[in-house]
Every structure is written in C-alpha cells, then in structure tokens.
Amino acid sequence: KSRGLNTYRMHCICLQNYVLILKHPLYPTWPSHYQNSPIWAKLLHHSTLLIEASLFHSQNFIKPGEQEAARCDTWAQLIERGCMEEDIISPKNYFSSSKNISLSNTALDKGEPIQLRPQEVNLKLRPGLPHTFTLDFQRVEGYPVDLYYLMDLSYSMEDDLRSIKTLGNKLFNALQGITKKGQIGFGSFVDKTVLPFTNTNPEKLNKPCAETEMYCQPAFGYRHVLSMTGNKAEFESEVNKQRISGNLDSPEGTLDAIMQAAVCGERIGWRNSSTRLIVLTTDDGFHMAGDGKLAGILEPNDERCYMDNNLYSKSNEMDYPSVGQVANQLEKNNIQPIFAVTKNMEKELSKMIPKSEVGVLSADSHNVVELIKNAYNRLSSKVTVTHDALPDNVRVTYTPLCPEGGPSGDKGVCNNVGVGQMVSFNVTVTADECMQSEISFLIGPLGMKDKLKVSLSTLCKCECNDPVTVDSPYCNGKGQVNCGMCSCKAGFVGQKCECSIGEKDESSLRAACRKDNGTECEGRGDCVCGICQCYTLPGGSTYYGTNCECENESCEKFQNKLCGGNGKCRCKNCECKPGYEGTACQCKKSDEQCRTPSGSVCSGRGTCKCNQCKCMEGYQRPYCLTCPACQTTCITKGKCIECLGFQTGPFSKNCSQACTSISEFKMVETLPPGKPCDVRDVESCRVFFAIKQLDGEDNYTAQILKTRECPKLPNIYAIIGGSIVGVTVIGILILLFIKVLFTLQDLKEYRKFMNEAQKTRWSENKNPIFQEATTTVANPTFSGE
C-alpha cells in the first residue's frame, strides 16, 4: 500500500541523504496525495534536520587548533572521536563483470568455443587495497589445432627429409587423433645467403650441396611451402617436392624462420579460434641477434612480416631476431612451439621460450610423430595463466585452485588438466598509487586466444554528499564546502576562507611562515595570511612561537615525569625550580662530590652539575685533575722557565707579561724526587725543572735547578788543522792513484806495440830504379899494361 514510503524509509535509514530521496526513480510517479501527505512532509522535515545536523557535525569535527589531517583515520578511531558513521567516507573497491558468457563443453557448439570466463571485468580500486576475483578455465573437447611443420633443410638433415616424406600419413592420423578440426602447414629454412654463413660463389649459391648430390636446391633463408590445409594428399605432395640445401657454418637461421611464421599469420593460414603449434625440427644450433654483424648486417629485426613469393625477402638485410623477440611474438600470437631437436640442443631451448616443449629427435627423425603427440599432451595438460604488460604501480598475483596447482605468484599454473575439466584461479589485483586515467590489460592462459580484459581505474576522491551552496556561510561566503572543508575562491585562503590576499602573492605569504626556508609552520600549523596558526597537541596544549617551533610536552623526563616534576617545560627545555638543576631537573643543587681535598670545585677546571664535575675538554673526572690528551707542560712552559730562571730566551724582554701562567717559581739546588723536565736554552745548555699545576685552567708553580748542564766547546784550531791535513792527504792519494792508472795503461800499450813489432817480417827486394852513387867506366884501349 505504501511502496513509496517504504522506499523512502530504506533511503532514510541506510543513507540518511535528502538528495538521494529527491532523486529516487519512483518519486515523480508517486500519487500527489502521497507527496502532499502530512506524513511525507513530516519525514521530509526530519530528514532535512538530520542532514543539517550531520553537515554541522562534519564541518565542526575539527577542534580549534587541530589540523585538517585529523579527519583521516581508521574507522574505529573516527567513531571513538565522535564522528557519525554516516559521515565517514571510506570508498570500497568496485567490481563488475561486463561480459560473462558460460563456458563451452565441446568445440561443436555454435559460434566460437568459450574456454575462459569472465571475458570482461571492470575494477575501481582504492590505492593499496587489493581485490580478488575468480577466473575459470575449461579446455573444450575437439578444439581446433593448427600445426605448422618447420624443417631445417641444411645438408646434415638429408636423412631426416627422407623420413618426413614417408611419415605424412602418420602425421595426419596423429593430428586427427587429437582433434577432428586439425590443419597442417609446412615451411623450411637454412640460413642467410651471405658470407660467412653461406658460400656466395654463384655456382655454390645455386648448388650448395656436395658434388655427388644430384637433388639439391639453391641456398635460401626461409621459405613458406604450404599454408594450413586439411588435405593430406596436398601436404604429402608438397613435402615430396622438397630438396636438401646447404650452408657453411653449423648454426642455422632458425629464429628468422620462427619469427616469419609467427608474424605472417595470413600467409601461414592461422585460424582465429585454434590451438596454434609450430613443430621445429633441426639438428644444430641457431644464430641470434648480433650475429648478422659478421656479414655487415646492422639493421635490427623489426618483428614484421616480409614475404615475397613465399620467401623471406629481407633475410640478407635484417639481423637475426633475439630469443626475447621470438618469445614475445609467439606469446602475442598465441603460438606454442614444439622443438624436435637433437640431444645436444635439448637443454639449450627448454628454458628460453615459455610455454614450449622440447623433444629429442632420433638420427633420421623417424620418431617425430610420437614426439609431437607427447609434446602436445604435455602442453595441453598444463594451464599457465598470466597477463600482458602492466604499469609499475599495478600488481597482479594468481592463486591456482586445482589439485596440482603451483604456488601463488605472478603466474598461475595448474598441471595435468584433462579435457573438459574446469580449473579456477584467484586473481588479486592491487593498485599501489592513484592513476590519472583508466587502463586495461589482458589476462589469459599462454598459447590460447581466450583472454579476459580487465579495465582498471582508481578511487582517489572522496564522494561526499556536500550541499551545492556556492558561497557557504561556513566559508564566510567566500567558498564551497567540500567534504567538511572549505574550497576557497581565488584571492581567499584560510581554513574558513577568512583571509583575503588581495594583490599579494600567495607564495610570498606562505614564505613568511617558513623558518630558514624550511617546512611551512614547521609542519605544526596552518599558514593563514602569512601568520602561523598552530595545531593543538594530543595532551591539550598547543604549539606556539612565530613558526610553531615551540611546545611544552616533549622535554626530557626523569622517573617518567616531565622535567622530573621539579620544573616546567618551556619550548622543549626544562626551567628548574630553585634548588634543582639538570636537563630534566633531576638533581638537587650541591657541590659536595665536586670538591677536591684543597677545597676547590672541580680543581677550577670544570663546573659542578648534579653533584658531578663536568670538566673542560681533555680533563678527566672526578676532579678534573689530569689531562692525558693535553700537551705536556715540560714543552709548553720551557721558554718561560728559561726566561724566569736565567733571563735568556725569546721571552727575556717581557718575561713578566708572557709568563703570567707561572704564578710562583724558586731556584733550588736539588729537585724533588721524580723525573724532572728539561729544555735546552739558547746556549744549548740543559735546564732542569719541576712544574706543578694549581687550581685553575692555566696556573702553575715551578722549581728550577740553579745549575745548568752545558756542553764543552770544541777545539776549533784542531778541527781546522785536521780538516786541512785530511784534505791534503786525500788529494795526494787521489793523484797517486791517477798516476798509477796512467802508468799501467802506458805499460800495457807498450807491450802490445813490441809484440806487433816482433811479428813483422820485411822483404829484401832490390829497387829497380835505384842507382849507385859511383860509376865505373872501362877504357877500351887499356891493355892492362
């Protein structure tokens, strides 16, 4: 009978909000006698009074001198301080599912099979407050499978190619055993056709195999041979046409081929709703990003499709992709690789690419069909749920709800999941900070097209039911109430907009509230018109001072009493009552324990605090008698001792003024027992003395030995004469040594000359041009008679 009134009571009791009552969808349709009834008028009147009381309470919740931050606290603390429950604004996380289609049982259902639910959700999160929802996955029976057979056709794979040509029928039968909606495609690869990867001699490019090999195709990088097809005869026909090829080095261009097979979806023929598999068979390693520099290829791989006449057209222009790039494109295109490789390559590939399987290929690849079946079963039975890229301030964790689930973390893993078995994951999303705009990201199982779209935004504003009054009286008519606080018009500042800044700059007013360019009002008050209005402390007192730098509740305590109960706290310092002293007024004034036997207080080298000596720097308690760290007086007072005792030294002319620290001295015949001090005077004589410190910082008495210990003067003449004689003797010895050296050298040369002279033999031939000095002429007529 009274549906409108009951609805109103619900709003009044739960929300107590007059605005919501007037906006109720049924309100305009109520009969006029309901709207004009006395009961309705009375309820409206009470509701209005309740709202005004609530508004007044929220605006006056802050006590005088209390900071606005006191409005923010835990629910329990706010209730305890008197805040009404209906005035507490505490936003909750909001979750809604905008698309939640039921899971499909088989792939034969009309339309695309649904394996994941929900499909779209909206989240509005309070920063730091996580929200958890459930994600369900169920692998449907007979889900389509697209299998792309990617084969290494380098020369070492010759026997493997022969085996594959005979295994086409078995491969199709194995695929049909997995699903009735299976398709298969074929591609092949070798390596880049540039040095040092392939011999670039024209003859070798045309026939890179051995000379004895009759069936050899030219070198190539990657070739797409057959798009996805369900025709077994077509597959066998195209595979039988393949011929072996070759290259120079052992690693192949495997990553080039996988990248093109992943990104050239239309050429390969991948279906939108299918399990996509790439089966890679090879017997050797692969080139990675950076290897292209060996051939002068510097352009990095851009992860795009370049197919011309079914050949990778930029094989010799772009570098090899990295393993990370390949893994990213496989995940992006929901492709799961199965690596059928030799034993030495098994460990190398097993951990590089997520959601992949590795099987050991036999020498001639005859076990490839069984290998594919086993690898597919392992892939399909393991469900790994994760997400794509997230902002730094968003975290997503997964908790598997399955019998053989993995640990909670940034991925959710369920093992040994059968066909038709539903598994669930608790997905927890947390936004650590406020976000300016809504973001979206995808969550789903690796290798599957099915994805959940999550639209995420943050709740960073309090949705307060404030009155729409622009010039609120609470804000002195200069602003609007927003969540109990004033939002002032331009030109007005203050807790209640009471300050008009006029032509002044607000920043300059705030600067007046900063001490030494520090925090505004030391963080203990509000800056209003350039003057600090200090906050109230929990104990009831307030901060004070020009910049709220003082307060009277944080002085040192003694026996859990502020200032020991013997003084008052003034601006963080204790002011003690008469008769007490100490930082916490914990001591009675007394110097009994500070007096030396002579009656002085702390030997005149300290002050008595709390009946204990507080010595000057370097001196030690209890009476400040000794100073181990000070420089010894034997050194510091040596010049004054020389001056006072013997009127010599640098202070001899003003001894009485320079040496006032030695108040008394005596010249004595003998010094008291103990090790005396000694210094050398200007005459190099040793002066012995004993010095004693009196009360006070620099006050001494000394006893000086009358007799000095002076060294004997050396015999100058003997030193000079000895020096001359020594120099002369040394000079003569040096000359003799030189003479001996020269004599020995001459003797050596003479002996050498004589030896050479003895070895000389002169020839005795007669000179043909020599004429005797005399000439004998015979007279022809002389007969001798």
Side-chain angles (χ1 to χ4, degrees), residues 204-358:
K204 283 293 183 180
L205 278 177
N206 190 48
K207 187 180 179 182
C209 310
E211 295 295 333
T212 57
E213 180 65 44
M214 296 181 59
Y215 303 103
C216 180
Q217 64 174 319
F220 65 96
Y222 161 69
R223 174 180 285 115
H224 170 57
V225 178
L226 177 65
S227 298
M228 292 295 175
T229 179
N231 191 324
K232 178 172 59 176
E234 185 179 5
F235 175 78
E236 290 180 341
S237 173
E238 290 297 331
V239 172
N240 286 327
K241 295 178 183 178
Q242 300 307 303
R243 298 291 181 266
I244 208 70
S245 187
N247 59 333
L248 287 177
D249 60 346
S250 296
E252 321 294 1
T254 309
L255 297 187
D256 267 345
I258 298 177
M259 176 64 74
Q260 292 301 303
V263 298
C264 299
E266 294 184 1
R267 294 290 188 94
I268 305 300
W270 301 113
R271 288 176 288 184
N272 288 331
S273 298
S274 65
T275 298
R276 300 176 177 181
L277 302 175
I278 288 181
V279 177
L280 175 76
T281 56
T282 182
D283 64 347
D284 222 320
F286 52 87
H287 286 293
M288 293 186 291
D291 289 355
K293 293 181 180 180
L294 298 173
I297 302 174
L298 303 179
E299 185 178 354
N301 195 285
D302 62 1
E303 304 180 37
R304 296 172 62 183
C305 178
Y306 295 99
M307 295 288 287
D308 188 7
N309 293 326
N310 288 335
L311 282 172
Y312 177 30
S313 58
K314 294 226 173 183
S315 175
N316 297 340
E317 299 174 23
M318 282 190 177
D319 194 6
Y320 300 97
S322 67
V323 175
Q325 286 178 305
V326 170
N328 179 61
Q329 286 300 329
L330 289 174
E331 183 178 348
K332 182 178 179 181
N333 292 282
N334 302 311
I335 299 173
Q336 303 173 70
I338 298 174
F339 297 105
V341 295
T342 52
K343 184 68 177 177
N344 62 320
M345 290 296 298
E346 181 182 10
K347 293 183 179 179
E348 185 174 353
L349 287 168
S350 59
K351 296 182 179 179
M352 286 187 175
I353 297 178
K355 195 61 177 176
S356 63
E357 282 293 330
V358 179

Side-chain angles (χ1 to χ4, degrees), residues 156-189:
S156 58
M157 293 286 287
E158 182 182 13
D159 54 346
D160 301 85
L161 179 60
R162 286 196 296 268
S163 295
I164 293 300
K165 291 180 179 180
T166 63
L167 293 175
N169 188 43
K170 291 183 179 180
L171 193 58
F172 254 93
N173 291 337
L175 188 60
Q176 292 296 316
I178 296 172
T179 176
K180 301 299 182 182
K181 296 183 178 181
Q183 292 190 152
I184 194 168
F186 189 84
S188 58
F189 64 93

Side-chain angles (χ1 to χ4, degrees), residues 431-502:
D432 295 323
E433 299 174 358
C434 291
M435 298 185 295
Q436 295 182 352
S437 59
E438 182 180 273
I439 65 164
S440 61
F441 57 93
L442 299 177
I443 293 176
L446 290 176
M448 298 287 177
K449 180 190 175 185
D450 302 76
K451 302 293 178 185
L452 163 65
K453 180 181 179 182
V454 180
S455 299
L456 175 64
S457 58
T458 51
L459 295 167
C460 293
K461 293 182 179 179
C462 291
E463 298 178 358
C464 303
N465 297 318
D466 295 312
V468 295
T469 306
V470 177
D471 299 326
S472 172
Y474 176 75
C475 302
N476 294 308
K478 306 299 181 182
Q480 184 176 356
V481 176
N482 183 11
C483 291
M485 297 181 293
C486 286
S487 178
C488 303
K489 292 181 178 179
F492 294 91
V493 293
Q495 195 172 21
K496 295 184 179 181
C497 307
E498 66 272 21
C499 177
S500 174
I501 62 177

